[in-house]
Amino acid sequence: MSALGRSYRYVGPADVKAAVRPGSDGFRIRSAADFDGWITERSAAELAEPFTFVVDTDGVLRLAPRRSEHVACAGGGSVLSAGEIGFVREAGRWVVGEVSNHSTGYCPDVTSWPAVAQALDRTGLGRPSGFTHGVVFRACPDCQERSIVREDDFVCVFCGSDLPEAWNVDNAE
């Protein structure tokens, strides 16, 4: 665990990670000026749907088109969080309209929010106080499949076994 929080390794399909090419990583947003330059180049169609994001292990927000793989956005590396994020204009400024930790390649815990908040604060964007849609990921101790917990039902959708209350998707780190 870093000073910025737990890091998450890619746990998705190996072939997806193998397809990551140098230079495919998401656009790094280190400041308000970075965000302003990036957002002005987006089309109305792009802005109508959320973007793929990661917060890399340096705490930097990286953004990519929605259908981008999170592992590509991260340049193949570990992350402090990952998910989807949408932006809207409010009172003449850009704000985060929606943000989730929905990344089945990294399966970050909802506790990764502080890393996202810190990265967003650096950009000067208005943001919510937490994920607008938090996704709870768990690994089944019996069948080893990764599951999304819905409606606090901690039962594996694949084999019916009970899932642990604590995040356990990748205990290798």
Side-chain angles (χ1 to χ4, degrees), residues 35-52:
F35 181 80
D36 289 342
W38 177 83
I39 199 77
T40 59
E41 295 177 7
R42 307 286 64 88
S43 70
E46 285 179 291
L47 291 170
E49 60 183 20
F51 294 90
T52 294

Side-chain angles (χ1 to χ4, degrees), residues 13 18 29 31-32 34 41-42 51-52 55 58 73 84 102 109 112 114 116 129 140 145 151 159 162 166:
I29 308 289
S31 66
D34 287 346
E41 295 177 7
R42 307 286 64 88
F51 294 90
T52 294
V55 176
D58 292 329
C73 187
E84 293 186 343
H102 194 180
D109 194 32
S112 67
V116 178
S129 59
C140 179
E145 291 289 339
E151 299 176 4
C159 74
D162 289 337

Side-chain angles (χ1 to χ4, degrees), residues 53-84:
F53 86 87
V54 300
V55 176
D56 66 23
T57 55
D58 292 329
V60 175
L61 178 68
R62 295 185 189 192
L63 298 171
R66 182 178 195 182
R67 287 160 188 82
S68 302
E69 293 290 344
H70 288 97
V71 69
C73 187
S78 293
V79 300
L80 299 176
S81 191
E84 293 186 343

